[in-house]
Amino acid sequence: MKAAVLKSLGTPLVIEDVPAPVLGTGEVIVDVVATRVLSYMNEVFSGERNYALDLPVVPGPGGIGRVRAIGPDATKLAIGDWVFCDPTVRSRDDAVAPDIALQGLTAAGPGGMKLQKHFRHGSFAEQMRVPTENVKRLGEITTVEAARWCALGTMLVPYGGFLAAGLKPGETVLVSGATGNFGSAAVAVALAMGAACVVAPGRNETILADLVRRFGPRVRPVKLSGNETDDREQMKRAAPGPIDCVFDIMPPSVSPTVVRAAIMTVRAYGRVVLMGGVGMAGGAGLELPYPWIMRNCVTIHGVWMYPPDAAVRLIALVRAELLRLDEYEVTAFDLDHANEAIDHAAANGGPFRMTVIRP
């Protein structure tokens, strides 16, 4: 089969024929129809992000496709089913604290690297092998619609954060990083989950205005000045009442002071979700006042990805039309032009923009 292969960091993907995946027990083979390209894939492939990758590798985190072959433990899946391939692969021998690898992207710790050695190849290929539990049925869609369904992979990240925080209908949320690709998805997901209001801080007034245009007055934009104290007060004033939950998804390039200003808007007994990249590229880490956390009974959730059943729940939100995939503007490339797709994603990674590869 044809695949795009990363053979060494800092070199382009090589498009070549590789052996087709072989089905094992507890696995499913999927014909990949569409797969998203992360806006920072170029930084992963250059080595700038220091992601753990066992090279050579067929990259690509998850995708949309049709079931080609199933093992004996699959009782609901059928050949030809449209499915979402969840890239979050978990070890099966520790239900309390499983090791995790992101198939086709990275791994955490020695256990995650062990997982990656088996489930290392991702979706930049005509076929991929996926753990049975990571294959989520979509119902009937068309080949044209498959590209837009790739947005599940982006929306699942903030959805996992809000699930961890126990977001309830009627609450007020602040999304730190609302003008980015994952942050704008967080705005949409929070509203779909019933948030009464989403405070959306940022420096790009055009993007902030577009969020209000898309979602209406439940979005309260805040133009950041760069002054930590002033920005914190502006964000508080923008909310109709106390802020119940702060969600941070800022990239590694952002100063910790910007993140801290947002976090410290949360009310007493409120919750904070950290899913961003502060400190991942070196430099200062996030410093929060111990007395403020303790005396205000603030709960801080560090969240990497989402629980195993999150994709099924999110698909249900889309099917109920509470979450709209047609917000996304999609640009598609074929597999032969995977390197061009990587460049395009890096240059066009804004809110509700998505680059996909169609193997």
Side-chain angles (χ1 to χ4, degrees):
M1 68 168 184
K2 186 189 293 185
V5 183
L6 179 67
K7 298 197 172 183
S8 60
L9 296 176
T11 63
L13 299 174
V14 177
I15 315 302
E16 63 183 12
D17 287 328
V18 301
V22 177
L23 183 69
T25 302
E27 299 170 355
V28 174
I29 305 295
V30 174
D31 289 323
V32 181
V33 177
T35 177
R36 70 191 170 120
V37 181
L38 299 173
S39 61
Y40 56 86
M41 273 293 204
N42 60 328
E43 297 175 10
V44 175
F45 296 162
S46 71
E48 182 180 344
R49 290 238 172 183
N50 296 317
Y51 276 21
L53 278 170
D54 187 19
L55 302 177
V57 65
V58 177
I64 305 296
R66 306 194 77 166
V67 173
R68 182 183 186 90
I70 55 178
D73 61 333
T75 61
K76 302 291 195 302
L77 289 170
I79 306 302
D81 279 352
W82 281 100
V83 293
F84 167 67
C85 299
D86 182 352
T88 308
V89 178
R90 298 172 176 83
S91 58
R92 294 165 170 162
D93 53 356
D94 188 343
V96 175
D99 288 305
I100 292 179
L102 299 185
Q103 189 172 3
L105 188 63
T106 190
M113 289 301 295
K114 187 175 180 180
L115 278 176
Q116 192 189 82
K117 286 185 180 298
H118 185 69
F119 289 110
R120 118 171 139 264
H121 295 312
S123 53
F124 288 9
E126 292 176 326
Q127 299 172 27
M128 66 184 297
R129 179 179 58 192
V130 187
T132 304
E133 63 271 25
N134 285 52
V135 178
K136 316 296 186 181
R137 291 182 297 169
L138 295 174
E140 283 303 313
I141 66 172
T142 67
T143 302
V144 172
E145 292 170 333
R148 191 159 275 123
W149 276 91
C150 289
L152 288 176
T154 301
M155 291 177 163
L156 270 167
V157 174
Y159 187 53
F162 291 133
L163 289 176
L167 180 63
K168 299 176 181 63
E171 290 192 315
T172 294
V173 174
L174 185 146
V175 175
S176 173
T179 57
N181 188 256
F182 283 97
S184 58
V187 173
V189 169
L191 293 171
M193 294 176 71
C197 172
V198 176
V199 178
R203 296 191 179 191
N204 190 317
E205 291 182 281
T206 301
I207 295 176
L208 292 174
D210 183 63
L211 289 172
V212 176
R213 180 190 65 80
R214 289 175 187 270
F215 301 113
R218 290 165 68 196
V219 175
R220 304 288 181 90
V222 177
K223 175 68 164 64
L224 296 177
S225 67
N227 180 287
E228 183 176 352
T229 302
D230 291 347
D231 287 341
R232 183 182 302 124
E233 293 309 309
Q234 278 198 78
M235 288 183 275
K236 285 183 177 180
R237 286 196 297 268
I243 295 171
D244 301 292
C245 178
V246 172
F247 174 87
D248 178 78
I249 191 102
M250 285 290 198
S253 58
V254 171
S255 167
T257 60
V258 177
V259 177
R260 183 169 58 237
I263 288 172
M264 293 186 67
T265 64
V266 78
R267 65 168 171 82
Y269 298 90
R271 297 96 70 203
V272 174
V273 178
L274 303 180
M275 296 193 82
V278 169
M280 286 186 178
L286 178 63
E287 294 183 3
L288 292 171
Y290 189 111
W292 174 80
I293 297 171
M294 181 266 291
R295 290 173 181 163
N296 288 288
C297 300
V298 172
T299 301
I300 297 176
H301 299 268
V303 184
W304 193 40
M305 305 309 284
Y306 39 83
D309 64 342
V312 175
R313 298 194 201 183
L314 194 69
I315 291 166
L317 286 177
V318 175
R319 288 299 189 189
E321 298 185 357
L322 295 169
L323 195 58
R324 299 178 61 87
L325 301 181
D326 59 7
E327 297 287 350
Y328 281 85
E329 174 189 326
V330 179
T331 303
F333 293 79
D334 60 31
L335 190 55
D336 287 330
H337 295 87
N339 287 299
E340 287 89 337
I342 302 301
D343 293 339
H344 183 274
N348 298 274
F352 304 109
R353 292 182 179 178
M354 187 167 52
T355 303
V356 305
I357 292 173
R358 288 182 170 277

